[in-house]
């Protein structure tokens, strides 16, 4: 599994998503899928817009949002308690 944080938005010709997961397939036999090989693309700019108005309940229901808030924060001291409440792994 690879996780890639992009500081720009990709254009796939759709509405745009902040998180995409790509998996490998055999191009000649699409029934063969290598689900354990994944490439996650995180478009940080799209997440910043989402993070501005989040509630604690939304953070609790989506752990990826807690990580994005962690990675994009300019001052972790201000959000530390919120992150710890939303995602217990943040206490470590």
């Amino acid at each position: 599994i690879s996780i890639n944080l992009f500081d720009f938005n990709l254009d796939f010709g759709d509405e745009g998503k902040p998180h995409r997961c790509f998996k490998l397939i055999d191009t000649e036999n699409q029934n063969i899928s290598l689900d354990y090989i994944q490439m996650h693309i995180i478009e940080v700019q799209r997440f910043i817009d989402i993070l501005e108005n989040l509630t604690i309940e939304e953070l609790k229901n989506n752990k990826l949002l807690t990580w994005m808030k962690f990675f994009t924060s300019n001052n972790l001291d201000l959000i530390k308690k919120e992150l710890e409440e939303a995602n217990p792994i943040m206490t470590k």
Side-chain angles (χ1 to χ4, degrees):
I1 294 177
S2 71
I3 300 172
N4 305 275
L5 301 174
F6 290 1
D7 196 25
F8 56 89
N9 294 334
L10 297 172
D11 183 6
F12 288 97
D14 60 8
E15 76 283 355
K17 297 178 182 180
H19 173 235
R20 294 177 188 268
C21 177
F22 296 95
K23 299 177 183 179
L24 294 180
I25 61 165
D26 183 327
T27 58
E28 293 182 14
N29 181 354
Q30 294 185 3
N31 292 325
I32 299 173
S33 175
L34 302 174
D35 287 343
Y36 53 87
I37 300 177
Q38 300 176 3
M39 183 173 71
H40 292 262
I41 303 293
I42 307 286
E43 296 178 33
V44 175
Q45 292 302 314
R46 293 190 199 276
F47 269 104
I48 289 173
D49 295 338
I50 293 169
L51 293 172
E52 288 181 6
N53 299 308
L54 282 180
T55 66
I56 190 69
E57 289 306 313
E58 289 171 311
L59 281 174
K60 286 179 180 179
N61 292 328
N62 188 333
K63 301 304 185 221
L64 178 57
L65 292 174
T66 62
W67 284 107
M68 291 313 302
K69 193 161 188 164
F70 173 82
F71 285 124
T72 60
S73 175
N74 292 327
N75 189 340
L76 288 175
D77 291 333
L78 289 176
I79 63 168
K80 182 180 178 185
K81 288 186 192 292
E82 179 184 35
L83 292 177
E84 289 174 350
E85 180 183 343
N87 189 349
I89 195 75
M90 295 288 183
T91 61
K92 300 186 188 280

Coordinates of all heavy atoms in Angstrom, one line a residue:
I1 N 0.9 -1.2 0.0 CA 0.0 0.0 0.0 C 0.9 1.2 0.0 O 1.8 1.3 0.8 CB -0.9 0.0 1.2 CG1 -1.9 -1.1 1.2 CG2 -1.7 1.3 1.3 CD1 -2.8 -1.3 2.4
S2 N 0.6 2.1 -0.9 CA 1.3 3.4 -0.9 C 0.3 4.5 -0.7 O -0.8 4.5 -1.2 CB 2.1 3.7 -2.2 OG 1.2 3.9 -3.2
I3 N 0.7 5.5 0.1 CA -0.2 6.7 0.3 C 0.6 7.9 -0.2 O 1.7 8.2 0.3 CB -0.5 6.9 1.8 CG1 -1.2 5.6 2.3 CG2 -1.3 8.1 2.1 CD1 -1.4 5.5 3.8
N4 N 0.0 8.6 -1.1 CA 0.6 9.7 -1.8 C -0.2 11.0 -1.5 O -1.3 11.1 -1.8 CB 0.7 9.5 -3.3 CG 1.3 8.2 -3.6 OD1 2.6 8.1 -3.7 ND2 0.6 7.1 -3.7
L5 N 0.5 12.0 -0.9 CA -0.1 13.3 -0.6 C 0.3 14.3 -1.7 O 1.5 14.6 -1.8 CB 0.3 13.8 0.8 CG 0.0 12.9 2.0 CD1 0.6 13.4 3.2 CD2 -1.5 12.7 2.1
F6 N -0.7 14.8 -2.4 CA -0.4 15.7 -3.5 C -0.9 17.1 -3.0 O -2.0 17.3 -2.5 CB -1.2 15.4 -4.7 CG -0.7 14.1 -5.4 CD1 0.4 13.4 -4.9 CD2 -1.3 13.7 -6.6 CE1 0.8 12.2 -5.6 CE2 -0.8 12.6 -7.3 CZ 0.2 11.8 -6.8
D7 N 0.0 18.1 -3.3 CA -0.4 19.5 -2.9 C -1.0 20.2 -4.2 O -0.9 21.4 -4.3 CB 0.9 20.2 -2.5 CG 0.5 21.5 -1.7 OD1 -0.6 21.6 -1.2 OD2 1.3 22.4 -1.7
F8 N -1.6 19.4 -5.0 CA -2.4 20.0 -6.1 C -3.5 19.0 -6.5 O -3.5 17.9 -5.9 CB -1.4 20.1 -7.4 CG -0.7 18.8 -7.7 CD1 -1.3 17.9 -8.6 CD2 0.5 18.5 -7.2 CE1 -0.7 16.7 -9.0 CE2 1.1 17.3 -7.5 CZ 0.6 16.4 -8.4
N9 N -4.4 19.5 -7.3 CA -5.6 18.6 -7.6 C -5.4 18.0 -9.0 O -4.9 18.6 -9.9 CB -6.9 19.5 -7.6 CG -7.2 20.0 -6.3 OD1 -6.9 19.4 -5.3 ND2 -7.9 21.1 -6.2
L10 N -5.7 16.7 -9.1 CA -5.6 16.0 -10.3 C -6.9 16.2 -11.1 O -8.0 16.5 -10.5 CB -5.4 14.5 -10.1 CG -4.1 14.1 -9.4 CD1 -4.1 12.7 -9.0 CD2 -2.9 14.4 -10.3
D11 N -6.9 16.1 -12.4 CA -8.1 16.2 -13.2 C -8.3 14.9 -13.9 O -7.7 14.6 -14.9 CB -7.9 17.4 -14.2 CG -9.1 17.6 -15.1 OD1 -10.2 17.0 -14.8 OD2 -9.1 18.4 -16.0
F12 N -9.4 14.2 -13.5 CA -9.8 12.9 -14.1 C -11.0 13.1 -14.9 O -11.7 12.2 -15.3 CB -10.0 11.9 -13.0 CG -8.7 11.4 -12.4 CD1 -8.3 11.9 -11.2 CD2 -8.0 10.4 -13.0 CE1 -7.1 11.4 -10.6 CE2 -6.8 9.9 -12.4 CZ -6.4 10.4 -11.2
G13 N -11.4 14.4 -15.1 CA -12.6 14.7 -15.9 C -13.9 14.4 -15.2 O -14.9 14.2 -15.8
D14 N -13.8 14.3 -13.9 CA -15.1 14.1 -13.1 C -15.2 15.3 -12.1 O -14.6 16.3 -12.2 CB -15.1 12.7 -12.4 CG -13.9 12.5 -11.5 OD1 -13.2 13.5 -11.2 OD2 -13.7 11.4 -11.0
E15 N -16.1 15.1 -11.1 CA -16.3 16.1 -10.1 C -15.1 16.3 -9.1 O -15.1 17.3 -8.4 CB -17.6 15.8 -9.3 CG -17.4 14.7 -8.2 CD -17.4 13.3 -8.7 OE1 -17.6 13.1 -9.9 OE2 -17.2 12.4 -7.9
G16 N -14.2 15.5 -9.1 CA -13.0 15.6 -8.3 C -13.3 15.0 -6.9 O -14.3 15.2 -6.3
K17 N -12.4 14.2 -6.4 CA -12.5 13.6 -5.1 C -11.2 13.8 -4.4 O -10.1 13.8 -4.9 CB -12.7 12.0 -5.3 CG -13.9 11.6 -6.0 CD -13.9 10.1 -6.1 CE -15.2 9.7 -6.9 NZ -15.2 8.2 -7.0
P18 N -11.3 14.0 -3.0 CA -10.1 14.3 -2.3 C -9.3 13.0 -2.0 O -8.1 13.1 -1.8 CB -10.6 14.8 -0.9 CG -12.0 14.4 -0.9 CD -12.5 14.2 -2.3
H19 N -9.9 11.8 -2.2 CA -9.2 10.5 -1.9 C -9.6 9.5 -3.0 O -10.8 9.3 -3.3 CB -9.6 10.0 -0.6 CG -9.0 8.6 -0.3 ND1 -9.8 7.6 0.0 CD2 -7.8 8.1 -0.4 CE1 -9.1 6.5 0.2 NE2 -7.8 6.8 -0.1
R20 N -8.6 8.9 -3.6 CA -8.8 7.9 -4.6 C -7.9 6.7 -4.3 O -6.8 6.9 -3.8 CB -8.5 8.4 -6.0 CG -9.4 9.4 -6.5 CD -9.0 9.9 -7.9 NE -9.7 11.0 -8.3 CZ -10.9 11.0 -9.0 NH1 -11.4 9.9 -9.4 NH2 -11.5 12.1 -9.4
C21 N -8.4 5.5 -4.5 CA -7.6 4.3 -4.3 C -7.6 3.5 -5.6 O -8.6 3.2 -6.2 CB -8.3 3.4 -3.2 SG -7.4 1.9 -3.0
F22 N -6.4 3.3 -6.1 CA -6.2 2.5 -7.3 C -5.6 1.2 -7.0 O -4.8 1.0 -6.1 CB -5.2 3.3 -8.2 CG -5.7 4.6 -8.7 CD1 -5.4 5.8 -8.0 CD2 -6.5 4.7 -9.8 CE1 -5.9 7.0 -8.5 CE2 -7.0 5.9 -10.2 CZ -6.7 7.1 -9.6
K23 N -6.0 0.2 -7.7 CA -5.6 -1.2 -7.5 C -5.1 -1.7 -8.9 O -5.5 -1.3 -9.9 CB -6.7 -2.1 -7.0 CG -7.2 -1.7 -5.7 CD -8.4 -2.6 -5.3 CE -9.0 -2.1 -4.0 NZ -10.1 -2.9 -3.5
L24 N -4.2 -2.7 -8.8 CA -3.7 -3.3 -10.0 C -4.6 -4.4 -10.5 O -5.2 -5.1 -9.8 CB -2.3 -3.9 -9.8 CG -1.1 -3.0 -9.4 CD1 0.1 -3.8 -9.2 CD2 -0.9 -2.0 -10.5
I25 N -4.7 -4.5 -11.9 CA -5.4 -5.5 -12.5 C -4.6 -6.1 -13.7 O -3.7 -5.4 -14.2 CB -6.8 -5.1 -13.0 CG1 -6.7 -4.0 -14.1 CG2 -7.7 -4.7 -11.9 CD1 -7.9 -3.8 -14.9
D26 N -4.9 -7.3 -14.1 CA -4.3 -7.8 -15.3 C -5.1 -7.3 -16.5 O -6.3 -7.5 -16.6 CB -4.4 -9.3 -15.2 CG -3.7 -10.0 -16.4 OD1 -3.7 -9.5 -17.5 OD2 -3.2 -11.1 -16.2
T27 N -4.4 -6.5 -17.4 CA -5.1 -5.9 -18.5 C -5.7 -6.9 -19.5 O -6.6 -6.6 -20.2 CB -4.2 -4.9 -19.2 OG1 -3.0 -5.6 -19.7 CG2 -3.8 -3.8 -18.3
E28 N -5.2 -8.1 -19.5 CA -5.7 -9.1 -20.4 C -6.8 -9.9 -19.8 O -7.6 -10.5 -20.5 CB -4.6 -10.0 -20.9 CG -3.6 -9.3 -21.8 CD -2.5 -10.2 -22.3 OE1 -2.6 -11.4 -22.2 OE2 -1.5 -9.6 -22.8
N29 N -6.8 -10.0 -18.5 CA -7.8 -10.8 -17.8 C -8.2 -10.0 -16.5 O -7.6 -10.1 -15.5 CB -7.3 -12.2 -17.4 CG -8.4 -13.0 -16.6 OD1 -9.5 -12.5 -16.3 ND2 -8.1 -14.2 -16.4
Q30 N -9.3 -9.2 -16.7 CA -9.6 -8.2 -15.6 C -10.2 -9.0 -14.4 O -10.5 -8.3 -13.4 CB -10.5 -7.2 -16.1 CG -9.8 -6.3 -17.1 CD -10.6 -5.1 -17.5 OE1 -11.8 -4.9 -17.1 NE2 -10.1 -4.3 -18.4
N31 N -10.4 -10.3 -14.5 CA -10.9 -11.0 -13.3 C -9.8 -11.3 -12.3 O -10.0 -11.6 -11.2 CB -11.5 -12.4 -13.8 CG -12.8 -12.2 -14.5 OD1 -13.6 -11.3 -14.3 ND2 -13.0 -13.0 -15.5
I32 N -8.5 -11.1 -12.8 CA -7.4 -11.2 -11.9 C -7.1 -9.8 -11.3 O -6.8 -8.9 -12.0 CB -6.2 -11.7 -12.7 CG1 -6.4 -13.1 -13.2 CG2 -4.9 -11.7 -11.7 CD1 -5.3 -13.6 -14.1
S33 N -7.3 -9.7 -10.0 CA -7.1 -8.4 -9.4 C -6.2 -8.6 -8.2 O -6.2 -9.6 -7.5 CB -8.5 -7.9 -8.8 OG -8.3 -6.8 -8.1
L34 N -5.3 -7.7 -8.1 CA -4.3 -7.7 -7.0 C -4.7 -6.7 -5.9 O -4.2 -5.6 -5.9 CB -2.9 -7.4 -7.5 CG -2.4 -8.4 -8.5 CD1 -1.0 -8.0 -9.1 CD2 -2.3 -9.8 -8.0
D35 N -5.8 -7.0 -5.2 CA -6.3 -6.1 -4.2 C -5.3 -5.6 -3.2 O -5.5 -4.5 -2.6 CB -7.6 -6.7 -3.5 CG -8.8 -6.7 -4.4 OD1 -8.8 -6.0 -5.5 OD2 -9.7 -7.5 -4.1
Y36 N -4.4 -6.4 -2.9 CA -3.4 -6.1 -1.8 C -2.4 -5.1 -2.3 O -1.6 -4.6 -1.5 CB -2.8 -7.3 -1.2 CG -2.1 -8.2 -2.3 CD1 -0.9 -8.0 -2.7 CD2 -2.9 -9.3 -2.8 CE1 -0.3 -8.8 -3.7 CE2 -2.3 -10.1 -3.8 CZ -1.0 -9.9 -4.2 OH -0.5 -10.7 -5.2
I37 N -2.3 -4.7 -3.5 CA -1.4 -3.7 -4.0 C -2.3 -2.5 -4.3 O -3.1 -2.5 -5.3 CB -0.7 -4.1 -5.3 CG1 0.2 -5.4 -5.0 CG2 0.2 -3.0 -5.8 CD1 1.0 -5.9 -6.1
Q38 N -2.2 -1.5 -3.5 CA -3.0 -0.3 -3.6 C -2.2 1.0 -3.6 O -1.2 1.0 -2.9 CB -4.0 -0.2 -2.4 CG -4.9 -1.3 -2.3 CD -5.8 -1.2 -1.1 OE1 -5.8 -0.2 -0.3 NE2 -6.6 -2.2 -0.8
M39 N -2.6 2.0 -4.4 CA -2.0 3.3 -4.4 C -3.1 4.3 -4.0 O -4.1 4.4 -4.8 CB -1.4 3.6 -5.7 CG -0.7 4.9 -5.8 SD 0.2 5.3 -7.3 CE -1.1 5.5 -8.4
H40 N -3.0 4.9 -2.9 CA -3.9 5.9 -2.4 C -3.4 7.3 -2.8 O -2.3 7.6 -2.6 CB -4.1 5.8 -0.9 CG -4.8 4.6 -0.5 ND1 -6.2 4.5 -0.3 CD2 -4.4 3.3 -0.3 CE1 -6.5 3.3 0.1 NE2 -5.4 2.5 0.0
I41 N -4.3 8.1 -3.5 CA -3.9 9.4 -3.8 C -4.8 10.4 -3.0 O -6.0 10.3 -3.0 CB -4.3 9.7 -5.3 CG1 -3.5 8.7 -6.2 CG2 -4.0 11.2 -5.7 CD1 -2.0 8.9 -6.3
I42 N -4.1 11.2 -2.2 CA -4.8 12.2 -1.4 C -4.5 13.6 -1.9 O -3.3 14.0 -2.0 CB -4.2 12.1 0.1 CG1 -4.2 10.7 0.7 CG2 -4.9 13.2 1.0 CD1 -5.6 10.2 1.0
E43 N -5.5 14.3 -2.4 CA -5.4 15.6 -2.9 C -5.6 16.6 -1.7 O -6.7 16.9 -1.3 CB -6.4 15.9 -4.0 CG -6.1 14.9 -5.2 CD -7.1 15.1 -6.3 OE1 -7.6 16.2 -6.5 OE2 -7.4 14.1 -7.0
V44 N -4.5 17.0 -1.1 CA -4.6 17.8 0.1 C -5.4 19.1 0.0 O -6.2 19.4 0.9 CB -3.1 18.2 0.6 CG1 -3.2 19.1 1.8 CG2 -2.3 16.9 0.9
Q45 N -5.3 19.8 -1.2 CA -6.1 21.0 -1.3 C -7.6 20.8 -1.2 O -8.3 21.6 -0.7 CB -5.8 21.6 -2.7 CG -4.4 22.2 -2.8 CD -4.1 23.2 -1.7 OE1 -4.9 24.1 -1.4 NE2 -3.0 23.1 -1.0
R46 N -8.1 19.6 -1.7 CA -9.5 19.3 -1.6 C -9.9 19.0 -0.2 O -11.0 19.4 0.3 CB -9.9 18.1 -2.5 CG -9.7 18.4 -4.0 CD -10.3 17.3 -4.8 NE -9.9 17.2 -6.1 CZ -10.4 18.0 -7.1 NH1 -11.4 18.8 -6.9 NH2 -10.0 17.8 -8.4
F47 N -9.0 18.4 0.6 CA -9.3 18.2 2.0 C -9.3 19.4 2.8 O -10.1 19.5 3.8 CB -8.3 17.2 2.6 CG -8.7 15.7 2.5 CD1 -8.1 14.9 1.5 CD2 -9.7 15.2 3.3 CE1 -8.5 13.6 1.4 CE2 -10.1 13.9 3.2 CZ -9.5 13.1 2.3
I48 N -8.5 20.4 2.5 CA -8.4 21.6 3.3 C -9.8 22.3 3.3 O -10.3 22.8 4.3 CB -7.3 22.6 2.8 CG1 -5.9 22.0 3.2 CG2 -7.5 24.0 3.3 CD1 -4.8 22.7 2.6
D49 N -10.4 22.3 2.1 CA -11.8 22.9 2.0 C -12.8 22.1 2.9 O -13.6 22.7 3.5 CB -12.3 22.9 0.6 CG -11.4 23.8 -0.3 OD1 -10.8 24.7 0.2 OD2 -11.4 23.5 -1.5
I50 N -12.7 20.8 2.9 CA -13.6 20.0 3.7 C -13.3 20.2 5.2 O -14.3 20.3 6.0 CB -13.4 18.5 3.4 CG1 -13.9 18.3 1.9 CG2 -14.1 17.6 4.3 CD1 -13.5 16.9 1.4
L51 N -12.1 20.3 5.6 CA -11.7 20.4 7.0 C -12.2 21.7 7.7 O -12.3 21.7 8.9 CB -10.2 20.3 7.2 CG -9.6 18.9 6.8 CD1 -8.1 19.0 6.8 CD2 -10.1 17.8 7.7
E52 N -12.4 22.7 7.0 CA -12.7 24.0 7.6 C -14.0 24.0 8.5 O -14.0 24.7 9.5 CB -12.8 25.1 6.5 CG -11.5 25.5 6.0 CD -11.5 26.5 4.9 OE1 -12.6 27.1 4.7 OE2 -10.5 26.8 4.3
N53 N -15.0 23.2 8.1 CA -16.2 23.3 8.8 C -16.7 21.9 9.4 O -17.9 21.7 9.6 CB -17.3 23.8 7.9 CG -17.0 25.2 7.4 OD1 -16.8 26.1 8.1 ND2 -17.0 25.3 6.0
L54 N -15.7 21.1 9.8 CA -16.0 19.8 10.3 C -16.5 19.8 11.8 O -16.0 20.6 12.6 CB -14.8 18.9 10.3 CG -14.4 18.3 9.0 CD1 -13.2 17.4 9.2 CD2 -15.5 17.4 8.4
T55 N -17.4 18.9 12.1 CA -17.8 18.8 13.5 C -17.0 17.6 14.1 O -16.4 16.8 13.3 CB -19.3 18.4 13.6 OG1 -19.5 17.1 13.0 CG2 -20.2 19.4 12.9
I56 N -17.0 17.5 15.4 CA -16.3 16.4 16.1 C -16.9 15.1 15.7 O -16.2 14.1 15.5 CB -16.3 16.6 17.6 CG1 -15.3 15.6 18.2 CG2 -17.7 16.5 18.2 CD1 -13.9 15.8 17.9
E57 N -18.2 15.0 15.4 CA -18.9 13.8 15.0 C -18.4 13.3 13.6 O -18.2 12.1 13.4 CB -20.4 13.9 15.1 CG -20.9 14.0 16.5 CD -20.5 12.8 17.4 OE1 -20.6 11.7 16.9 OE2 -20.1 13.1 18.5
E58 N -18.2 14.3 12.8 CA -17.8 13.9 11.4 C -16.3 13.4 11.5 O -16.0 12.5 10.8 CB -17.8 15.2 10.5 CG -19.3 15.5 10.1 CD -19.3 16.9 9.4 OE1 -18.8 17.8 9.9 OE2 -20.0 16.9 8.4
L59 N -15.5 14.0 12.4 CA -14.1 13.5 12.5 C -14.2 12.1 13.1 O -13.4 11.2 12.7 CB -13.4 14.4 13.5 CG -12.8 15.7 12.9 CD1 -12.2 16.5 13.9 CD2 -11.8 15.4 11.8
K60 N -15.0 11.8 14.1 CA -15.1 10.5 14.7 C -15.5 9.4 13.7 O -15.1 8.3 13.8 CB -16.1 10.5 15.9 CG -15.6 11.2 17.1 CD -16.7 11.2 18.2 CE -16.2 11.8 19.4 NZ -17.2 11.8 20.5
N61 N -16.4 9.8 12.7 CA -16.9 8.9 11.7 C -16.0 8.7 10.5 O -16.2 7.8 9.7 CB -18.3 9.3 11.3 CG -19.3 9.2 12.3 OD1 -19.2 8.3 13.2 ND2 -20.3 10.1 12.3
N62 N -14.9 9.5 10.4 CA -14.0 9.3 9.3 C -12.6 9.6 9.7 O -12.2 10.7 9.8 CB -14.5 10.3 8.2 CG -13.7 10.1 6.9 OD1 -12.6 9.7 6.9 ND2 -14.3 10.5 5.8
K63 N -11.9 8.5 10.0 CA -10.5 8.6 10.6 C -9.6 9.3 9.6 O -8.6 9.9 10.0 CB -10.0 7.2 11.0 CG -10.8 6.5 12.0 CD -11.0 7.3 13.3 CE -11.8 6.5 14.3 NZ -12.7 7.3 15.0
L64 N -9.8 9.1 8.3 CA -9.0 9.8 7.3 C -9.0 11.3 7.5 O -8.0 12.0 7.4 CB -9.4 9.4 5.9 CG -8.6 10.1 4.7 CD1 -7.2 9.8 4.8 CD2 -9.2 9.6 3.4
L65 N -10.2 11.8 7.9 CA -10.2 13.3 8.1 C -9.4 13.7 9.3 O -8.8 14.8 9.3 CB -11.7 13.7 8.3 CG -12.6 13.6 7.1 CD1 -14.1 13.9 7.5 CD2 -12.2 14.5 6.0
T66 N -9.3 12.9 10.3 CA -8.4 13.2 11.5 C -7.0 13.3 11.0 O -6.2 14.2 11.4 CB -8.6 12.3 12.6 OG1 -8.2 10.9 12.3 CG2 -10.0 12.3 13.2
W67 N -6.6 12.3 10.2 CA -5.2 12.3 9.7 C -4.9 13.5 8.8 O -3.8 14.2 8.9 CB -4.9 11.0 9.0 CG -4.7 9.9 10.0 CD1 -5.5 8.9 10.2 CD2 -3.6 9.7 10.9 NE1 -5.0 8.1 11.2 CE2 -3.8 8.6 11.6 CE3 -2.4 10.5 11.1 CZ2 -2.9 8.1 12.6 CZ3 -1.5 10.0 12.1 CH2 -1.8 8.9 12.8
M68 N -5.9 13.9 8.0 CA -5.7 15.1 7.1 C -5.6 16.3 7.9 O -4.8 17.2 7.6 CB -6.8 15.1 6.1 CG -6.7 14.0 5.0 SD -5.0 13.8 4.4 CE -4.6 15.3 3.7
K69 N -6.4 16.4 9.0 CA -6.4 17.6 9.9 C -5.0 17.6 10.5 O -4.4 18.7 10.7 CB -7.5 17.5 10.9 CG -7.7 18.8 11.6 CD -9.1 18.9 12.2 CE -9.3 20.3 12.8 NZ -10.6 20.6 13.0
F70 N -4.5 16.5 11.0 CA -3.1 16.4 11.6 C -2.1 16.9 10.6 O -1.2 17.7 10.9 CB -2.9 15.0 12.0 CG -1.5 14.7 12.5 CD1 -1.1 15.1 13.8 CD2 -0.5 14.2 11.7 CE1 0.1 14.8 14.3 CE2 0.7 13.9 12.1 CZ 1.1 14.2 13.4
F71 N -2.1 16.4 9.4 CA -1.0 16.7 8.4 C -1.1 18.1 7.9 O -0.1 18.7 7.5 CB -1.1 15.7 7.2 CG -0.6 14.4 7.5 CD1 -1.4 13.3 7.3 CD2 0.7 14.2 8.0 CE1 -0.9 12.0 7.6 CE2 1.2 12.9 8.3 CZ 0.4 11.8 8.1
T72 N -2.3 18.8 7.9 CA -2.4 20.1 7.4 C -2.4 21.2 8.4 O -2.5 22.4 8.1 CB -3.7 20.2 6.5 OG1 -4.8 19.9 7.3 CG2 -3.6 19.2 5.3
S73 N -2.3 20.8 9.7 CA -2.4 21.9 10.7 C -1.2 22.7 10.8 O 0.0 22.2 10.7 CB -2.7 21.2 12.1 OG -2.6 22.1 13.1
N74 N -1.4 24.0 11.1 CA -0.2 24.9 11.3 C 0.1 25.0 12.8 O 1.2 25.5 13.2 CB -0.6 26.3 10.8 CG -0.6 26.3 9.3 OD1 0.1 25.6 8.6 ND2 -1.5 27.2 8.8
N75 N -0.8 24.5 13.6 CA -0.6 24.5 15.1 C -1.3 23.3 15.7 O -2.4 23.4 16.1 CB -1.2 25.8 15.6 CG -0.8 26.0 17.1 OD1 -0.4 25.1 17.8 ND2 -0.9 27.3 17.5
L76 N -0.5 22.3 15.9 CA -1.1 21.0 16.5 C -1.6 21.2 17.9 O -2.5 20.5 18.3 CB 0.0 19.9 16.4 CG 0.2 19.4 15.0 CD1 1.3 18.3 15.0 CD2 -1.0 18.7 14.4
D77 N -1.0 22.1 18.6 CA -1.4 22.3 20.0 C -2.9 22.7 20.1 O -3.6 22.4 21.0 CB -0.5 23.4 20.7 CG 0.9 22.9 21.0 OD1 1.1 21.6 21.1 OD2 1.8 23.7 21.0
L78 N -3.3 23.5 19.1 CA -4.7 24.0 19.1 C -5.7 22.9 18.8 O -6.9 23.0 19.2 CB -4.9 25.1 18.0 CG -4.2 26.4 18.3 CD1 -4.4 27.4 17.2 CD2 -4.8 27.0 19.6
I79 N -5.3 21.8 18.1 CA -6.3 20.8 17.7 C -6.0 19.4 18.4 O -6.7 18.5 18.1 CB -6.3 20.6 16.2 CG1 -5.0 20.2 15.6 CG2 -6.8 21.9 15.5 CD1 -5.0 19.7 14.2
K80 N -5.0 19.4 19.2 CA -4.6 18.1 19.8 C -5.7 17.4 20.5 O -6.0 16.2 20.3 CB -3.4 18.3 20.7 CG -2.9 17.1 21.4 CD -1.7 17.3 22.3 CE -1.3 16.0 22.9 NZ -0.3 16.2 23.9
K81 N -6.4 18.1 21.4 CA -7.5 17.4 22.1 C -8.6 17.0 21.2 O -9.2 15.9 21.4 CB -8.0 18.4 23.2 CG -7.1 18.6 24.3 CD -7.7 19.4 25.4 CE -6.8 19.9 26.4 NZ -6.1 19.1 27.3
E82 N -9.0 17.8 20.2 CA -10.0 17.4 19.3 C -9.6 16.1 18.5 O -10.4 15.2 18.4 CB -10.2 18.5 18.3 CG -11.3 18.3 17.2 CD -11.4 19.4 16.2 OE1 -10.4 20.0 15.9 OE2 -12.5 19.6 15.8
L83 N -8.4 16.0 18.1 CA -7.9 14.9 17.3 C -7.9 13.6 18.2 O -8.3 12.5 17.8 CB -6.5 15.1 16.7 CG -6.4 16.1 15.6 CD1 -5.0 16.3 15.2 CD2 -7.3 15.7 14.4
E84 N -7.5 13.8 19.5 CA -7.4 12.7 20.4 C -8.8 12.2 20.7 O -9.1 11.0 20.9 CB -6.7 13.1 21.7 CG -5.2 13.2 21.5 CD -4.5 13.8 22.7 OE1 -5.2 14.2 23.7 OE2 -3.3 13.8 22.7
E85 N -9.8 13.1 20.8 CA -11.2 12.7 21.0 C -11.8 11.9 19.8 O -12.5 10.9 20.0 CB -12.1 13.9 21.4 CG -13.5 13.5 21.7 CD -14.4 14.7 21.9 OE1 -13.8 15.8 22.2 OE2 -15.6 14.6 21.8
A86 N -11.4 12.4 18.7 CA -12.0 11.8 17.4 C -11.4 10.5 17.0 O -12.0 9.6 16.5 CB -11.9 12.8 16.3
N87 N -10.1 10.4 17.3 CA -9.3 9.2 16.9 C -8.3 8.8 18.0 O -7.3 9.4 18.1 CB -8.6 9.5 15.6 CG -8.0 8.3 14.9 OD1 -7.9 7.2 15.5 ND2 -7.5 8.5 13.7
P88 N -8.7 7.7 18.7 CA -7.8 7.3 19.9 C -6.3 7.1 19.5 O -5.5 7.2 20.4 CB -8.5 6.0 20.4 CG -9.9 6.1 19.9 CD -9.9 6.9 18.6
I89 N -6.0 6.7 18.3 CA -4.7 6.5 17.9 C -3.8 7.7 18.0 O -2.6 7.7 18.2 CB -4.5 5.8 16.5 CG1 -3.1 5.2 16.3 CG2 -4.8 6.9 15.4 CD1 -2.9 3.9 17.0
M90 N -4.5 8.9 18.0 CA -3.8 10.2 18.1 C -3.2 10.5 19.4 O -2.4 11.4 19.6 CB -4.7 11.3 17.7 CG -5.2 11.3 16.3 SD -3.9 11.7 15.1 CE -4.7 11.7 13.6
T91 N -3.6 9.7 20.4 CA -3.0 9.9 21.8 C -1.6 9.3 21.9 O -0.9 9.6 22.9 CB -3.9 9.2 22.8 OG1 -4.0 7.8 22.6 CG2 -5.3 9.8 22.8
K92 N -1.2 8.5 21.0 CA 0.1 7.9 21.0 C 1.2 8.8 20.5 O 1.1 9.6 19.7 CB 0.1 6.6 20.3 CG -1.0 5.7 20.9 CD -0.9 4.3 20.3 CE -2.1 3.5 20.8 NZ -2.0 2.9 22.0

